[in-house]
Amino acid sequence: MMFQPDLETLPREELERLQLRRLQTQCARVYANVPFYRRRFDEIGVTPDDIKSLNDLKLLPFTEKQDMRNNYPFGLLAMPRESIVRLHASSGTTGKATVVGYTRRDIDNWADCMARSLAMAGLSAKDIIHVAYGYGLFTGGLGAHYGVERLGATAIPASGGSTKRQAQLIRDFGTNGICCTPSYALHVYDAAQEQGIDLKQLPLRVGVFGAEPWTEEMRHDMEQKMGIQALDVYGLSEIMGPGVAMECAEGRSGLHIQEDHFLAEIIDPVTGEQLPAGERGELVITTLTKEGVPLIRYRTRDITSLNHTPCPCGRTFAKLHRFTGRTDDMLIIRGVNVYPSQIESILLETEGVSPHYQIIVTREGALDNVEVQVEVSGSNFSDTIKELQRRENAIQKSIKEFLGISSKVRLVEPRTIQRSEGKAVRVLDKRAKTDA
């Protein structure tokens, strides 16, 4: 089942000609309209006219997340601000979020890409699709929602929370597909079980899961418990949102990247050199049709490989191998990207605590939990229990407001957190042990 079969089955040579034309156009646009890119091109002595083939992609400069932060909020816009119809932003402390602007055409292309993704999962205009990604500045909810509507299906904009009620709605509405994080899907399953709702007896047959890493073991567990086919969707706010790549129901051997909109390459994360197809490295994406905030060679920090083997589904788009990790220290907590440095910024702005802290991530059931342990400064250790609790609550509130995640904050005695002679161990991610 395909949403745009003429594009999704383009012969490879024709697809690459389209990619080259769009790459050349994009380079000319950013050079003319984005001072950041003009400087970058000039610094390395490259002009848009130097791009004669797709092999010349390696001549272009990389773009990193910090570049987006440095140009906050509108420094990377390639269109007049009046042409921007929507803004999304990643989590971050004040002034540090990555902001992405979308034109009307960007929104239309995004809806097309997500509709394609849902069709890859075997969903159609006849289906009812429950969207339990968060709505708001996070791209997950609205990205999936617009894709459902573009497909012609019925969207249930459930967002997150009220999990027992969500299980009831899935039963009452006869839902066929669900879009959410894999951990939240298991949370919905548990809520259904508590109410005597057997998801395996319902019309629900497909789950489109993304926004956080998940294993083949987790896929098998969900499919057994929920009676569904669990498929992987990939996206990132900087590039577009969900729908950049999607696993098809027929192949299940990687995620088809929407190559008419995104040019993918794999690089050695240390040297920056391009790697041949099949070799594992860091995924780098260039947006070919993005108008609002086009990005050239954006380093995603995600580790994967590219596969051009023909797929049983008939699509000619290359596949990304399921992601195995990242090249940086970013955590993904219930679909939200969180950096330890963001939590550190909040702690350093809090009176009465020291710069010694540790972030402990665990998984209880299907949900991630975050505990932040931070030492109080010596002069404040004698404060009353009531005052310490007030300070813990204040930090928890700040983390929730700025980063969008719930956490437990525990103030501990001075010298409680183990010191290191080398790099401080800021994060203890115990989820892998829990999943094993």
Side-chain angles (χ1 to χ4, degrees):
M1 186 180 303
M2 298 188 196
F3 180 67
Q4 295 175 317
D6 291 348
L7 292 170
E8 295 177 70
T9 60
L10 278 174
R12 193 76 212 169
E13 288 185 4
E14 189 175 340
L15 175 60
E16 290 180 355
R17 285 197 296 269
L18 175 64
Q19 288 179 318
L20 178 58
R21 288 198 304 271
R22 289 180 169 178
L23 175 63
Q24 291 168 330
T25 300
Q26 198 71 291
C27 288
R29 286 187 66 248
V30 299
Y31 190 79
N33 299 322
V34 185
F36 164 78
Y37 277 119
R38 178 182 284 270
R39 287 195 302 272
R40 280 289 176 88
F41 279 46
D42 289 346
E43 285 170 0
I44 61 176
V46 173
T47 72
D49 292 337
D50 294 325
I51 308 304
K52 307 294 186 184
S53 72
L54 291 179
N55 289 332
D56 294 329
L57 181 65
K58 61 180 178 290
L59 302 176
L60 297 172
F62 290 115
T63 309
E64 305 199 29
K65 182 181 282 284
Q66 191 59 47
D67 295 322
M68 301 187 76
R69 292 198 183 106
N70 292 344
N71 286 277
Y72 174 93
F74 302 138
L76 293 183
L77 289 183
M79 298 284 282
R81 211 279 310 152
E82 293 77 10
S83 300
I84 302 301
V85 299
R86 192 196 299 173
L87 293 171
H88 280 284
S90 69
S91 60
T93 53
T94 303
K96 296 295 182 181
T98 57
V99 177
V100 182
Y102 300 76
T103 65
R104 171 52 57 197
R105 183 174 294 175
D106 290 337
I107 296 294
D108 286 341
N109 287 336
W110 186 7
D112 284 341
C113 286
M114 194 61 208
R116 288 180 188 177
S117 299
L118 296 168
M120 285 187 204
L123 293 163
S124 73
K126 299 177 181 179
D127 290 314
I128 299 172
I129 303 175
H130 186 98
V131 180
Y133 288 116
Y135 282 62
L137 288 176
F138 173 60
T139 54
L142 285 169
H145 182 104
Y146 273 60
V148 173
E149 292 187 344
R150 180 59 56 86
L151 184 66
T154 302
I156 303 174
S159 192
S162 303
T163 309
K164 287 186 177 180
R165 183 165 182 261
Q166 295 214 31
Q168 294 168 6
L169 293 177
I170 290 170
R171 175 197 62 195
D172 297 345
F173 291 169
T175 298
N176 310 113
I178 181 171
C179 301
C180 62
T181 63
S183 59
Y184 191 71
L186 287 173
H187 194 39
V188 170
Y189 168 80
D190 290 338
Q193 289 289 102
E194 290 174 14
Q195 301 172 88
I197 299 172
D198 185 357
L199 295 180
K200 295 177 79 170
Q201 300 302 314
L202 302 182
L204 186 66
R205 69 177 193 277
V206 176
V208 177
F209 303 130
E212 66 186 15
W214 53 300
T215 62
E216 283 296 320
E217 291 75 19
M218 194 171 183
R219 186 211 295 266
H220 180 73
D221 188 37
M222 284 189 288
E223 292 185 335
Q224 289 293 108
K225 288 178 174 177
M226 302 173 71
I228 62 172
Q229 186 172 25
L231 298 169
D232 200 2
V233 66
Y234 175 72
L236 56 169
S237 299
E238 299 92 328
I239 296 298
M240 183 182 73
V244 172
M246 177 70 200
E247 189 175 34
C248 67
E250 293 92 336
R252 286 175 62 126
S253 58
L255 293 81
H256 289 285
I257 184 163
Q258 316 281 8
E259 287 193 280
D260 53 336
H261 293 284
F262 309 106
L263 186 55
E265 57 183 314
I266 304 297
I267 66 165
D268 182 311
V270 177
T271 67
E273 296 295 316
Q274 286 183 337
L275 297 176
E279 287 200 27
R280 189 170 296 278
E282 181 184 342
L283 174 65
V284 173
I285 297 178
T286 297
T287 62
L288 297 176
T289 57
K290 194 81 177 287
E291 292 183 335
V293 180
L295 295 179
I296 303 296
R297 302 192 80 194
Y298 182 75
R299 296 189 63 164
T300 69
R301 303 296 178 181
D302 291 314
I303 300 299
T304 184
S305 61
L306 270 175
N307 178 7
H308 292 279
T309 304
C311 183
C313 74
R315 292 175 179 84
T316 54
F317 294 158
K319 289 181 181 179
L320 300 172
H321 191 273
R322 291 191 77 193
F323 298 93
T324 57
R326 292 184 55 81
T327 64
D328 57 19
D329 61 351
M330 187 184 81
L331 295 168
I332 301 179
I333 308 297
R334 302 192 191 184
V336 178
N337 298 346
V338 179
Y339 288 85
S341 58
Q342 294 173 324
I343 292 178
E344 179 175 317
S345 295
I346 292 171
L347 296 177
L348 292 177
E349 293 170 2
T350 304
E351 190 175 354
V353 301
S354 79
H356 301 292
Y357 68 94
Q358 196 159 62
I359 302 164
I360 302 170
V361 188
T362 58
R363 178 168 287 145
E364 294 180 14
L367 295 180
D368 296 332
N369 292 302
V370 178
E371 177 175 299
V372 180
Q373 296 183 3
V374 56
E375 294 179 5
V376 294
S377 57
S379 59
N380 288 277
F381 184 64
S382 59
D383 286 350
T384 64
I385 292 178
K386 185 175 181 180
E387 173 59 24
L388 293 175
Q389 288 176 338
R390 184 199 66 76
R391 203 167 293 155
E392 287 174 347
N393 291 336
I395 297 172
Q396 287 175 187
K397 183 179 179 183
S398 294
I399 291 174
K400 179 67 174 177
E401 285 180 353
F402 288 122
L403 304 185
I405 63 167
S406 299
S407 63
K408 178 182 178 182
V409 174
R410 206 153 61 86
L411 297 180
V412 299
E413 298 179 19
R415 308 294 304 176
T416 300
I417 295 173
Q418 185 175 356
R419 305 297 196 263
S420 173
E421 293 182 3
K423 185 178 179 181
V425 180
R426 296 300 194 192
V427 179
L428 289 179
D429 192 342
K430 299 182 177 181
R431 289 175 294 185
K433 294 180 182 178
T434 305
D435 293 339

